[in-house]
Amino acid sequence: MKSPARRTSYGAKGAPYAHPSPTALERARSAPYFFLVPAILLFLLFFALPIGYAVWLSFRKVRVSGLGLGAGAREEVWAGLENYTGALSDSELLNGALRVLGYGCIVVPVMLGLALLFALMLDSEKVRLAPFTRLAIFLPYAIPGVVAALLWGFLYLPDVSPFYFVLDRFGLPQPDLLDGGPLYLALSNIAVWGGTGFNMIVIYTALRAIPAEVYEAAKLDGATPLQIALRIKIPMVAPSLVLTFFFSIIATLQVFSEPTVLKPLTNSVSTTWSPLMKVYQDAFGNGDIHAAAAQATLIALATLVLSFGFLRATNRRNKQEAAR
């Protein structure tokens, strides 16, 4: 059977050229999908598959027969929603969620407020050494969270901290930042110190994308720099503020490194201080990986619901403002 002949056309100058065959067109259309195959495989292997396995484990439990010794004494069976009901009624998990809520009420507004302030200051025409200042603010974000928590943890210890030495020399009170209420401030300080730079870069990038003609028109109308910042810059970077708030909420719900690193330094941080620490303790401390899987699934669902609800409310508000 003969292959279909190529149709010949002539260009503007009379030069002939051949149309590609249907087989070549099919290959050209499918080529982009071949480039997506590695990314899809990595997504399935390292993201979708672990999540699916964790969900499957959350519906299972280990049934122990007798003393639990010998072959067949421990058997994995179907548990249904037993692990989920146990997680929802677990007082330690609920208390950890409340602690994280209080922690987030400090971290999110302070971090985003400082990030917006620094971005507005760097976007000012009168700023000096902007590249160095921008790098200095962003640099703490490049430090791993464990290292940052360990660094601040030793700065909080009265015996080795230079801050306590200065306070002692001047006869000032020396608060214990690793006990009671100040512990929330100590943990929040680590998160704010490490996360402000990243959020600042996101907001600053959005500010630099605003056309200069907008500022020039505002100056011709007699607007002051403060009025430009409040009435032009902040409203125009609102999508970036929503994005940074979204990332901050997720990071707050998943706090783990800071309290885990500070735990050996104080008795105020328990092994179940945050929900993720409770999951870790149940999985690797108590050996109940099925209950830990159910708790991790609930945390993921809570994060998804909060994020989706916030984005939906934001989109509805934007549509209402656009309709006006």
Side-chain angles (χ1 to χ4, degrees):
M1 183 176 180
K2 295 183 179 180
S3 60
R6 294 188 178 182
R7 185 163 53 89
T8 304
S9 301
Y10 294 89
K13 296 182 179 180
Y17 63 90
H19 287 276
S21 64
T23 305
L25 289 175
E26 288 291 334
R27 292 176 179 174
R29 292 192 185 100
S30 60
Y33 298 100
F34 287 104
F35 288 101
L36 291 176
V37 169
I40 294 174
L41 290 177
L42 291 174
F43 173 82
L44 293 175
L45 289 175
F46 298 102
F47 190 80
L49 185 60
I51 291 178
Y53 182 62
V55 173
W56 182 78
L57 284 177
S58 66
F59 292 102
R60 310 281 291 180
K61 68 177 182 178
V62 175
R63 184 171 60 189
V64 180
S65 302
L67 298 177
L69 304 176
R74 301 175 65 90
E75 180 185 6
E76 187 176 282
V77 297
W78 181 258
L81 298 177
E82 181 179 339
N83 292 323
Y84 288 95
T85 56
L88 292 175
S89 60
D90 192 335
S91 60
E92 291 185 346
L93 184 64
L94 296 178
N95 291 334
L98 293 177
R99 282 189 288 265
V100 167
L101 178 62
Y103 166 82
C105 289
I106 301 174
V107 171
V108 176
V110 173
M111 182 168 58
L112 295 186
L114 289 176
L116 178 61
L117 177 62
F118 291 151
L120 291 173
M121 293 174 63
L122 289 173
D123 193 56
S124 175
E125 297 178 353
K126 299 180 180 180
V127 68
R128 297 291 183 268
L129 301 175
F132 172 78
T133 306
R134 187 167 60 247
L135 177 62
I137 298 174
F138 178 77
L139 190 60
Y141 178 75
I143 300 176
V146 175
V147 177
L150 190 62
L151 170 66
W152 281 101
F154 281 104
L155 291 177
Y156 293 151
L157 288 177
D159 294 335
V160 297
S161 174
F163 300 136
Y164 284 90
F165 175 77
V166 174
L167 293 175
D168 180 64
R169 296 289 292 181
F170 286 95
L172 298 175
Q174 304 176 22
D176 188 359
L177 297 177
L178 296 177
D179 186 27
L183 177 64
Y184 286 87
L185 299 177
L187 290 169
S188 301
N189 174 66
I190 301 174
V192 170
W193 181 76
T196 300
F198 171 79
N199 296 308
M200 181 269 297
I201 290 295
V202 175
I203 300 173
Y204 177 74
T205 304
L207 287 173
R208 300 301 294 176
I210 299 176
E213 293 79 4
V214 177
Y215 301 146
E216 294 175 0
K219 291 177 181 178
L220 291 176
D221 291 338
T224 63
L226 181 60
Q227 291 174 333
I228 292 175
L230 296 178
R231 299 182 181 181
I232 296 178
K233 292 184 177 182
I234 295 180
M236 294 191 74
V237 299
S240 298
L241 292 174
V242 172
L243 180 65
T244 53
F245 182 83
F246 177 71
F247 288 156
S248 301
I249 289 294
I250 295 177
T252 300
L253 293 175
Q254 297 178 353
V255 61
F256 177 79
S257 300
E258 293 84 353
T260 302
V261 172
L262 294 184
K263 179 182 169 298
L265 305 180
T266 175
N267 294 326
S268 299
V269 179
S270 63
T271 56
T272 59
W273 192 89
S274 71
L276 283 187
M277 292 178 67
K278 177 68 166 60
V279 173
Y280 182 87
Q281 177 63 23
D282 285 348
F284 303 103
N286 302 332
D288 193 352
I289 193 171
H290 302 91
Q295 296 169 12
T297 303
L298 288 176
I299 295 172
L301 288 176
T303 305
L304 178 63
V305 169
L306 289 176
S307 304
F308 180 77
F310 175 75
L311 291 178
R312 188 182 180 90
T314 303
N315 292 333
R316 184 183 301 140
R317 181 179 178 183
N318 292 337
K319 289 180 180 179
Q320 291 176 353
E321 292 180 352
R324 294 175 185 175

